Amino acid sequence: MPTALIIGDSHVDHSPMAAEMKRLLEAKGLAVTVAGVGATSALTWLNQNPVCRPNRDWCVDVNTLPKRPDWLLVSLGTNDAANMAVSNGHPEPIVSNVRKLIARFAPKSSIWIGPPWLGDKVTYYTNQDNERLYAAAARAGVPIFDSRIPTRSFVEAGSGDGVHLGPVGQKAWAVAVVKEMQKKTIPWLPIAGVAVATFAAMYLLYTPRDRWFR
């Protein structure tokens, strides 16, 4: 059975988004493990084990997570970009850390789920900071799913606290991520079927009829 591992920050820490992604992927036949830990960054996941919330009321032992999953979904970058904004830092180390984290799990396929659109309630960290992170990922050639697109309308409608969406918005975000996974999946079985049918048709077309029954 193919496997999917979802790791990340509060967006997938016992959240409606994570639950919806798990439900959708299990319906497609994947065995799904969710390991979200609030208030974490890519650097946290690289350097700490267990990975814990600041008050340590929830931790994940990285050694117990599936190795070499078919899919790795990394929901990180929100806390990274916020820390970058507060410290007047640069986005390139964040991109590098996510790249290293993905390499450590060595999945067959992966998606880096980038930060969502931010609401006006957030003052220390802005959409311009997110833009810097997305631009740095593009310059480094590191694929990142632009979560601002499926989340913006919900945030601007007042969903959530400005960083975390309400349940409806989170579920819509999960659906968008799973659709992105489908885009990255090569439909080799249908392609193989078409190829076989095409070969059979050509064989029948160009083979003398008296040979069909030999």
Side-chain angles (χ1 to χ4, degrees):
M1 176 181 290
T3 58
L5 172 61
I6 304 170
I7 65 172
D9 52 28
S10 55
H11 291 304
V12 293
D13 183 350
H14 297 84
S15 70
M17 177 188 178
E20 183 68 2
M21 282 197 293
K22 187 173 189 293
R23 184 188 70 80
L24 292 170
L25 295 178
E26 287 180 341
K28 296 180 181 298
L30 280 74
V32 183
T33 300
V34 179
V37 182
T40 56
S41 66
L43 191 62
T44 309
W45 282 86
L46 279 174
N47 291 345
Q48 296 182 17
N49 190 37
V51 178
C52 300
R53 295 174 185 160
N55 61 6
R56 300 189 71 84
D57 65 338
W58 171 250
C59 298
V60 168
D61 183 351
V62 176
N63 293 329
T64 65
L65 299 180
K67 304 296 188 295
R68 301 184 181 276
D70 292 284
W71 279 97
L72 174 65
L73 306 180
V74 179
S75 178
L76 291 168
T78 301
N79 293 308
D80 305 75
N83 293 335
M84 175 190 71
V86 171
S87 65
N88 197 29
H90 300 281
E92 286 77 15
I94 301 171
V95 176
S96 177
N97 288 336
V98 172
R99 189 202 296 268
K100 291 175 185 176
L101 183 61
I102 292 172
R104 178 172 294 180
F105 282 96
K108 293 181 180 177
S109 299
S110 65
I111 291 182
W112 176 12
I113 305 170
W117 186 260
L118 299 176
D120 294 336
K121 300 175 186 177
V122 186
T123 57
Y124 61 93
Y125 160 44
T126 68
N127 286 305
Q128 286 71 33
D129 297 311
N130 274 347
E131 175 58 33
R132 291 177 61 202
L133 177 60
Y134 279 104
R139 288 194 301 271
V142 178
I144 182 172
F145 175 69
D146 193 340
S147 297
R148 297 171 298 180
I149 297 171
T151 60
R152 181 171 183 171
S153 63
F154 292 97
V155 173
E156 292 184 342
S159 175
D161 61 8
V163 177
H164 307 90
L165 278 71
V168 174
Q170 288 193 44
K171 290 181 179 179
W173 189 4
V175 170
V177 171
V178 173
K179 286 183 178 178
E180 182 68 13
M181 291 175 67
Q182 291 174 316
K183 292 179 184 178
K184 293 169 69 74
T185 302
I186 300 175
W188 65 271
L189 281 175
I191 292 174
V194 170
V196 169
T198 302
F199 177 81
M202 292 181 65
Y203 179 83
L204 293 176
L205 181 64
Y206 293 104
T207 301
R209 289 180 178 272
D210 63 340
R211 291 186 56 188
W212 291 3
F213 301 100
R214 289 182 182 178

